[in-house]
Amino acid sequence: MAAKSYLNVIPDGKKRSDEIEMRDLYDKVIPKYASRWEELGYKLGLEVHHIDNISANCAGHQDRVKRCCTAMLKKWLEKTTSHSWGQLDDAIDHLVTGKPPKGTEVDNSGSDISTAVVSERLTTRYIQTRFTADDDEWPPDQPKEYTVLTLIHHKNKFTQRQILELAKVKSKGRISKIISATSSLLSSEESISENDEFLNECFQESRSTQNIADITAPLEDPDSDSRIVLIEGAPGLGKTVLLKQIAYEWASKKLLFNSKLVFLLPLRDPAVRNMSSVKDLVRYFCWESFEDCAAFIEDTEGKGVTILLDGYDEYPVELQNHSFIADIINHNVLPLSVVMISSRPYATIHLRKNITCYVDILGFTEEHQQSFFEKSLESLPDKLQELKIYVENHPTISSLCYAPFNMSVLVWLFKEGIAVPNSLAELYNCFICNTIYRHLKQRDKLTLDNITSLRSFPSPYSEVIQQISAFCLEKMVTNQLVFSLDEIIEFCPLINSIPGAINCFGLLQVTSHYSDGIGTPTKTINFVHFSIQEFFAAYRITCLPENEEYEFIRANFFSEFYSNTIALYVGITKGQRDSFKRFLRYLDSWYYKVTNAFGLLFGISNESAKRRYLRLFHCFNEANDIAACNVIAEKLHHNKCISVIGSPLYPSDVDCLALLLSNSPNKSWEILYLYYCYIQDIGLQILHKSLLSSKVVINWINLRGNLLTSKSMQLIEEIAISCEISILDISCNTLEDGEWLEKITGNSSTLRCLHIYNNKLLSSGAIRLFCSLRTNRNTRLKVLDIGCNVITDEAVSEIREFLEQNTSLVDLVLRDNDISEESKQLLMKSRKSCVLKF
């Protein structure tokens, strides 16, 4: 006689141990329990991402609930190697009665047990979470290797006053995506003169790494006061991915070994913004045992707890000083917890007084790009070669590939055989249009021609896209970046009429959290990447009535929050909209006179004006408006100096900077001062190509502290010769080989001062350098700084011989090398007119 469930789930003739076949579930299980399919899925052991993907795939169908239940049961049968009627019966018993299967009850009494329950839930969540919206192929895979991270410094090495000084320098003149400060050398030096020795030490202590453990290791030290870490980076660099990776590696027991609990909170989520207590924090992830666990966390003041706050730039300004999240950051609550915050740079200036460690995400080097291209297209060698040639011949596209998200989009476009664009706006336009078309083709079996922009979709798709774009802009205006399915349907009434439109054709992703003490998670929706929402918002601006379009641009053009949106708007319209031209005429009363379509015949008299014109320059560059870029470059050239101090320049920023330098009708510049901007070898390659092709002349170039390696040696030599440089400072990099020094001092006819302080220069390199100076009879070089390298007594003989013959070198700096006192005395005796500094 077959065992029979009192819920009458097991069919006649079946035993609890019998395996289930899908056809047996259609009659009794699906009709009866479809309305509670999500809860049943969790009881059967499916993970959050399984439920989310099923929900997204079935959205928009009239029989959605039945479809979801069917897909859930299919996933369960696929996922488990053995699936018996007894397992299903127990899960439904648990669902209906609320009682767990016999023998599996958990005793939640006691703090340690409740914490273990929450920890297990967090571990499962972080390990199982996937970065896909609706299937295994979408969105395009982002690189698994991590980008270059620059660790700026640790607070426990410096005083609070010094921290604030660093913050002032790092924040000085930060603008858009171009560069951080443009001013005369004098004002730039004044900005760091107050504590120059500290800042030099602080920047020199910074180092690049690709090891996440280098960030988290100091947080594990019980004697360290490093408790708050700020992670900054431009859009698309992977700030969210980094925090997710940290959470994943904690769950995999590879990082944060002293942390019992790690909470990853997206600050764009209304449920996170509305948190008011530790109970809310725990309940967001786990509805079981949350009260006991919250009490335990409060009693221990957060010891052993790490809180990851993702997207501080998306957190409302009005909550940044007075909210539960603000109290966590300020350590007013849970003072012993570790807090890591990710953000775009513009939003964090007021946070810096609390920060104990800075991390700048710099993006991918050329080696990372090549590696990702090869792995992604290894089965398509022809496509791989075509992509490499294209990137090499298009510096603007190459400069965008430092961002992992942009690079993954570019590779996807190549795989799909889609024409590759030439700017960021074109890249997103091409990506989003083809994503929508991909979904329409799959779901509606639709074939469309000539889809080149969002405007080119036929009705009714164009109307739905208009509604989605309006929704995106509206939510940005109200600073709501996470929303519910009901909100989308209410705002976009046509969205239900087109299958797949409900999740914005695959561009939306679903996340889950627990909002109350029940076992069913609340679902929220946001775009796969914030930049996609920004693009839709930019497109919506182009559809506004002219007066509304103008007022929006006028109100938000110089807003940091809308900087990417406005740049995309100008890129979409190529700067040719009447509203935008009207806005430029409006600026006439501020800084310049308009004498033609753009005019821009102005003189720049202060820093505020420079930052505004650099924003304009970035927008015109995005619009490929070379004429307007030329005029702005000419007016920025009036003091012949560009200076950037202590703020990262990403490859796309360097590309804009190079365009600015080369587009000025007057090709002669006095100073290019890039002080600890971490441009890396890839940034120097972009700068090199532009400077040499446009024959720019620069008197003084400072490239101190830019993570340059020996790969940049030949580029530096060619820049020095082509640009007729008189003063070259490449200190605090890693240019240890002396071969390039031999060439640059022998081939440059203009170089008078060379600073290569702290470059790991070896004795062999120093020998080659001084041999070249002596044999080539170089009489132009007046100052040579090779301090703080790895020069030993081995090089002293060659240096002595040079000094005995020297008639031109005035200053030679050798301090902080491994030269003995005896050798120093020999060198002092050998010098003639040269001043030696040890």
Side-chain angles (χ1 to χ4, degrees), residues 521-675:
T522 300
K523 295 188 179 301
T524 54
I525 298 171
N526 60 275
F527 281 90
V528 171
H529 197 277
F530 182 42
S531 296
I532 296 174
Q533 184 173 348
E534 290 178 312
F535 185 88
F536 274 109
Y539 171 67
R540 175 57 182 172
I541 297 171
T542 69
C543 301
L544 294 173
E546 184 175 335
N547 280 339
E548 290 183 37
E549 182 180 354
Y550 165 73
E551 290 298 335
F552 186 91
I553 297 167
R554 176 178 169 179
N556 298 293
F557 189 84
F558 296 119
S559 161
E560 292 290 358
F561 180 74
Y562 287 104
S563 61
N564 205 38
T565 304
I566 295 294
L568 290 170
Y569 157 81
V570 178
I572 291 170
T573 62
K574 304 300 182 185
Q576 298 301 311
R577 300 281 290 188
D578 290 340
S579 300
F580 187 63
K581 295 179 182 179
R582 180 182 167 193
F583 168 72
L584 296 179
R585 291 193 292 271
Y586 161 75
L587 291 183
D588 178 43
S589 60
W590 280 357
Y591 301 111
Y592 60 87
K593 296 179 180 179
V594 175
T595 58
N596 53 40
F598 297 107
L600 305 180
L601 301 178
F602 49 80
I604 303 176
S605 58
N606 58 52
E607 293 301 312
S608 177
K610 289 172 186 172
R611 289 194 293 274
R612 280 165 168 74
Y613 287 122
L614 286 166
R615 176 69 60 79
L616 282 170
F617 182 89
H618 175 60
C619 287
F620 285 128
N621 181 46
E622 183 62 38
N624 291 320
D625 192 326
I626 303 303
C629 287
N630 286 342
V631 177
I632 296 178
E634 179 183 3
K635 298 309 172 181
L636 284 170
H637 179 267
H638 83 286
N639 62 359
K640 299 186 177 183
C641 169
I642 291 182
S643 174
V644 189
I645 298 177
S647 294
L649 293 182
Y650 306 108
S652 58
D653 304 333
V654 177
D655 188 45
C656 272
L657 175 60
L659 187 63
L660 190 154
L661 288 166
S662 59
N663 272 20
S664 174
N666 188 334
K667 301 297 183 183
S668 176
W669 292 81
E670 282 298 317
I671 299 167
L672 175 60
Y673 198 86
L674 307 181
Y675 187 87

Side-chain angles (χ1 to χ4, degrees), residues 317-443:
V317 175
E318 62 271 17
L319 297 179
Q320 291 178 1
N321 293 319
H322 304 288
S323 64
F324 176 67
I325 296 297
D327 287 339
I328 288 176
I329 294 173
N330 295 320
H331 273 170
N332 296 331
V333 298
L334 309 182
L336 299 182
S337 65
V338 170
V339 182
M340 303 182 75
I341 310 162
S342 74
S343 178
R344 295 184 184 183
Y346 70 82
T348 61
I349 293 174
H350 72 284
L351 275 183
R352 296 180 184 278
K353 64 181 183 298
N354 299 321
I355 301 305
T356 57
C357 179
Y358 296 98
V359 177
D360 277 311
I361 304 180
L362 300 181
F364 282 116
T365 63
E366 185 179 22
E367 289 77 11
H368 291 129
Q369 292 179 19
Q370 294 299 322
S371 175
F372 180 67
F373 290 157
E374 289 168 3
K375 288 180 181 179
S376 302
L377 298 171
E378 60 183 350
S379 62
L380 301 168
D382 292 341
K383 289 280 187 184
L384 174 61
Q385 190 60 28
E386 183 184 351
L387 177 58
K388 285 183 175 181
I389 293 172
Y390 186 88
V391 170
E392 184 179 346
N393 294 331
H394 292 77
T396 300
I397 289 297
S398 176
S399 71
L400 294 176
C401 286
Y402 78 100
F405 183 74
N406 294 344
M407 190 162 62
S408 64
V409 169
L410 179 66
V411 169
W412 181 79
L413 292 174
F414 250 83
K415 277 185 175 180
E416 296 292 314
I418 299 165
V420 178
N422 291 308
S423 70
L424 184 63
E426 290 180 8
L427 183 74
Y428 280 117
N429 176 72
C430 195
F431 168 61
I432 290 170
C433 287
N434 281 281
T435 299
I436 296 173
Y437 178 57
R438 170 184 183 270
H439 275 250
L440 293 176
K441 188 175 180 180
Q442 284 182 349
R443 310 222 177 193

